[in-house]
Protein backbone atom coordinates (compact mmCIF):
# COMPACT_ATOMS: atom_id res chain seq x y z
CA UNK A 1 0.00 0.00 0.00
CA UNK A 2 2.90 2.40 0.77
CA UNK A 3 4.45 1.85 -2.67
CA UNK A 4 1.07 2.40 -4.30
CA UNK A 5 0.67 5.74 -2.49
CA UNK A 6 4.18 6.81 -3.44
CA UNK A 7 3.54 5.90 -7.09
CA UNK A 8 0.17 7.64 -7.04
CA UNK A 9 1.76 10.79 -5.62
CA UNK A 10 4.54 10.63 -8.21
CA UNK A 11 1.90 10.37 -10.95
CA UNK A 12 0.05 13.42 -9.56
CA UNK A 13 3.28 15.43 -9.52
CA UNK A 14 3.98 14.37 -13.10
CA UNK A 15 0.52 15.49 -14.18
CA UNK A 16 1.05 18.87 -12.54
CA UNK A 17 4.46 19.30 -14.20
CA UNK A 18 3.06 18.37 -17.62
CA UNK A 19 0.03 20.62 -17.15
CA UNK A 20 2.13 23.64 -16.23
CA UNK A 21 4.52 23.10 -19.14
CA UNK A 22 1.59 22.75 -21.56
CA UNK A 23 0.01 25.97 -20.27
CA UNK A 24 3.37 27.75 -20.56
CA UNK A 25 3.37 27.03 -24.29
CA UNK A 26 0.63 29.66 -24.62
CA UNK A 27 1.21 32.07 -21.73
CA UNK A 28 3.90 33.26 -19.34
CA UNK A 29 4.19 31.60 -15.94
CA UNK A 30 2.98 34.76 -14.18
CA UNK A 31 -0.34 34.63 -16.05
CA UNK A 32 -1.12 31.00 -15.20
CA UNK A 33 -3.26 30.31 -12.14
CA UNK A 34 -3.21 27.32 -9.82
CA UNK A 35 -6.84 26.74 -10.80
CA UNK A 36 -5.79 26.37 -14.46
CA UNK A 37 -2.93 24.03 -13.58
CA UNK A 38 -5.08 21.62 -11.57
CA UNK A 39 -7.84 21.71 -14.20
CA UNK A 40 -5.34 20.88 -16.96
CA UNK A 41 -3.77 18.16 -14.80
CA UNK A 42 -7.13 16.70 -13.82
CA UNK A 43 -6.23 16.62 -10.13
CA UNK A 44 -7.70 18.15 -6.99
CA UNK A 45 -6.51 21.60 -5.91
CA UNK A 46 -5.37 20.04 -2.63
CA UNK A 47 -3.00 17.77 -4.58
CA UNK A 48 -1.22 20.87 -5.81
CA UNK A 49 -0.84 22.36 -2.32
CA UNK A 50 0.14 19.03 -0.78
CA UNK A 51 3.04 18.73 -3.23
CA UNK A 52 4.10 22.26 -4.16
CA UNK A 53 4.34 25.65 -2.50
CA UNK A 54 4.56 27.59 -5.78
CA UNK A 55 4.45 27.29 -9.56
CA UNK A 56 8.23 27.63 -9.61
CA UNK A 57 8.45 24.59 -7.32
CA UNK A 58 6.80 22.59 -10.11
CA UNK A 59 9.54 23.73 -12.49
CA UNK A 60 12.16 22.87 -9.88
CA UNK A 61 10.83 19.29 -9.86
CA UNK A 62 11.09 19.17 -13.67
CA UNK A 63 14.72 20.30 -13.46
CA UNK A 64 15.55 17.89 -10.62
CA UNK A 65 14.21 15.01 -12.70
CA UNK A 66 16.13 16.26 -15.74
CA UNK A 67 19.29 16.42 -13.62
CA UNK A 68 18.80 12.83 -12.46
CA UNK A 69 18.06 11.58 -15.97
CA UNK A 70 21.15 13.23 -17.47
CA UNK A 71 23.37 11.99 -14.64
CA UNK A 72 22.09 8.43 -15.13
CA UNK A 73 22.59 8.60 -18.91
CA UNK A 74 26.12 9.99 -18.58
CA UNK A 75 27.07 7.11 -16.29
CA UNK A 76 26.41 4.50 -18.99
CA UNK A 77 27.68 6.07 -22.22
CA UNK A 78 28.30 4.54 -25.61
CA UNK A 79 31.76 3.46 -26.69
CA UNK A 80 32.95 6.86 -27.83
CA UNK A 81 35.85 9.05 -26.79
CA UNK A 82 35.47 10.35 -23.25
CA UNK A 83 33.58 13.61 -23.25
CA UNK A 84 31.95 12.97 -26.60
CA UNK A 85 30.08 10.00 -25.14
CA UNK A 86 28.78 12.11 -22.26
CA UNK A 87 27.71 14.95 -24.56
CA UNK A 88 25.92 12.40 -26.77
CA UNK A 89 23.99 11.20 -23.73
CA UNK A 90 23.15 14.76 -22.67
CA UNK A 91 21.82 15.45 -26.16
CA UNK A 92 19.73 12.25 -26.12
CA UNK A 93 18.04 13.32 -22.91
CA UNK A 94 17.51 16.88 -24.14
CA UNK A 95 16.05 15.61 -27.41
CA UNK A 96 13.59 13.41 -25.50
CA UNK A 97 12.55 16.53 -23.52
CA UNK A 98 12.56 18.80 -26.59
CA UNK A 99 9.14 20.38 -26.24
CA UNK A 100 9.28 21.31 -22.53
CA UNK A 101 12.88 22.50 -22.82
CA UNK A 102 12.06 24.78 -25.74
CA UNK A 103 9.04 26.09 -23.85
CA UNK A 104 11.21 26.87 -20.82
CA UNK A 105 13.97 28.34 -22.98
CA UNK A 106 11.53 30.68 -24.70
CA UNK A 107 9.96 31.59 -21.33
CA UNK A 108 13.30 32.83 -20.00
CA UNK A 109 14.40 29.80 -17.98
CA UNK A 110 17.61 29.24 -19.96
CA UNK A 111 19.82 29.82 -16.89
CA UNK A 112 18.20 26.87 -15.08
CA UNK A 113 18.71 24.59 -18.08
CA UNK A 114 22.31 25.74 -18.51
CA UNK A 115 22.95 25.15 -14.81
CA UNK A 116 21.81 21.52 -15.15
CA UNK A 117 24.25 20.92 -18.02
CA UNK A 118 27.08 22.69 -16.19
CA UNK A 119 26.51 20.73 -12.97
CA UNK A 120 26.47 17.42 -14.83
CA UNK A 121 29.70 18.22 -16.66
CA UNK A 122 31.29 19.31 -13.37
CA UNK A 123 30.18 16.04 -11.80
CA UNK A 124 31.67 14.07 -14.69
CA UNK A 125 34.97 15.93 -14.88
CA UNK A 126 35.40 15.97 -11.12
CA UNK A 127 36.31 18.61 -8.61
CA UNK A 128 38.34 21.55 -9.70
CA UNK A 129 38.96 24.85 -7.95
CA UNK A 130 36.14 27.34 -8.51
CA UNK A 131 38.60 29.98 -9.64
CA UNK A 132 40.71 28.04 -12.11
CA UNK A 133 41.24 28.11 -15.84
CA UNK A 134 39.87 24.56 -16.01
CA UNK A 135 36.60 25.67 -14.37
CA UNK A 136 36.28 28.57 -16.81
CA UNK A 137 36.92 26.19 -19.69
CA UNK A 138 34.19 23.90 -18.36
CA UNK A 139 31.81 26.86 -18.12
CA UNK A 140 32.54 27.77 -21.76
CA UNK A 141 32.08 24.17 -22.82
CA UNK A 142 28.75 23.87 -20.97
CA UNK A 143 27.56 27.06 -22.67
CA UNK A 144 28.56 25.65 -26.04
CA UNK A 145 26.71 22.40 -25.32
CA UNK A 146 23.59 24.28 -24.19
CA UNK A 147 23.50 26.84 -26.99
CA UNK A 148 24.19 24.27 -29.68
CA UNK A 149 21.55 21.95 -28.21
CA UNK A 150 18.92 24.71 -28.14
CA UNK A 151 19.62 25.72 -31.75
CA UNK A 152 19.49 22.04 -32.74
CA UNK A 153 16.20 21.49 -30.89
CA UNK A 154 14.69 24.67 -32.36
CA UNK A 155 15.59 23.44 -35.85
CA UNK A 156 13.87 20.08 -35.34
CA UNK A 157 16.78 18.01 -33.97
CA UNK A 158 17.00 15.99 -37.17
CA UNK A 159 20.73 15.35 -36.92
CA UNK A 160 21.98 12.35 -34.96
CA UNK A 161 22.92 12.99 -31.30
CA UNK A 162 26.33 11.43 -31.78
CA UNK A 163 27.05 13.58 -34.84
CA UNK A 164 26.05 16.72 -32.92
CA UNK A 165 28.23 15.70 -29.96
CA UNK A 166 31.14 15.20 -32.36
CA UNK A 167 30.65 18.73 -33.74
CA UNK A 168 30.63 20.18 -30.22
CA UNK A 169 33.58 18.16 -28.92
CA UNK A 170 35.83 18.69 -31.92
CA UNK A 171 35.23 22.43 -32.19
CA UNK A 172 38.48 24.32 -32.66
CA UNK A 173 38.24 28.13 -32.42
CA UNK A 174 41.17 28.69 -34.79
CA UNK A 175 39.58 26.58 -37.53
CA UNK A 176 36.21 28.24 -36.98
CA UNK A 177 37.63 31.76 -37.18
CA UNK A 178 39.59 30.93 -40.32
CA UNK A 179 36.50 29.37 -41.91
CA UNK A 180 34.29 32.34 -40.95
CA UNK A 181 36.72 34.67 -42.67
CA UNK A 182 36.31 32.70 -45.91
CA UNK A 183 32.50 32.74 -45.94
CA UNK A 184 30.94 35.23 -48.25
CA UNK A 185 28.40 37.39 -46.51
CA UNK A 186 24.90 37.74 -47.87
CA UNK A 187 24.15 41.03 -46.14
CA UNK A 188 22.62 43.71 -48.26
Amino acid sequence: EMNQRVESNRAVKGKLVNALLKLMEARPLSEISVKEIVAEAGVARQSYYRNFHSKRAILTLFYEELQTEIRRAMAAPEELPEGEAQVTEILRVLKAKRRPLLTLHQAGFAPMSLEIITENLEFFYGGMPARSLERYWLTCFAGMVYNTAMAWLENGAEEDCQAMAHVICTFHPETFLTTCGSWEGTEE
Side-chain angles (χ1 to χ4, degrees):
E1 185 178 308
M2 179 68 148
N3 284 344
Q4 188 176 7
R5 268 195 314 208
V6 169
E7 285 304 314
S8 176
N9 193 47
R10 185 176 293 142
V12 166
K13 287 179 179 179
K15 287 179 182 182
L16 289 165
V17 168
N18 291 334
L20 179 57
L21 290 169
K22 183 176 180 188
L23 292 167
M24 286 179 69
E25 290 176 12
R27 293 195 323 279
L29 181 65
S30 61
E31 294 178 14
I32 299 170
S33 69
V34 171
K35 183 178 180 179
E36 291 172 299
I37 296 168
V38 297
E40 180 68 35
V43 301
R45 190 176 182 91
Q46 240 165 327
S47 294
Y48 170 87
Y49 289 108
R50 186 175 36 250
N51 291 290
F52 300 104
H53 64 278
S54 69
K55 294 178 283 185
R56 284 194 178 263
I58 295 174
L59 297 179
T60 298
L61 177 62
F62 172 81
Y63 280 112
E64 287 170 355
E65 291 173 349
L66 180 64
Q67 172 84 299
T68 300
E69 201 171 329
I70 290 174
R71 185 83 38 97
R72 192 175 303 127
M74 287 177 68
E78 287 187 15
E79 294 298 319
L80 295 170
E82 185 175 293
E84 193 170 317
Q86 284 67 34
V87 173
T88 298
E89 296 307 322
I90 290 171
L91 293 174
R92 280 199 178 112
V93 173
L94 298 182
K95 185 175 183 178
K97 304 272 186 193
R98 179 177 180 258
R99 190 170 180 165
L101 283 170
L102 288 175
T103 297
L104 292 167
H105 179 75
Q106 292 159 357
F109 289 91
M112 290 177 76
S113 301
L114 175 58
E115 185 177 333
I116 296 296
I117 291 172
T118 304
E119 287 176 2
N120 278 293
L121 289 170
E122 286 173 353
F123 180 80
F124 175 74
Y125 284 107
M128 55 186 80
R131 299 175 88 181
S132 66
L133 292 178
E134 291 83 8
R135 177 64 61 121
Y136 295 130
W137 176 90
L138 185 70
T139 302
C140 289
F141 184 65
M144 187 165 59
V145 170
Y146 178 74
N147 286 312
T148 303
M150 288 301 108
W152 175 62
L153 294 174
E154 287 172 341
N155 288 314
E158 294 176 11
E159 298 81 3
D160 180 67
C161 295
Q162 185 177 336
M164 291 302 298
H166 183 74
V167 166
I168 293 167
C169 293
T170 58
F171 175 78
H172 297 290
E174 308 82 36
T175 305
F176 174 74
L177 293 173
T178 303
T179 305
C180 282
S182 67
W183 289 338
E184 292 187 27
T186 55
E187 296 180 33
E188 296 182 18

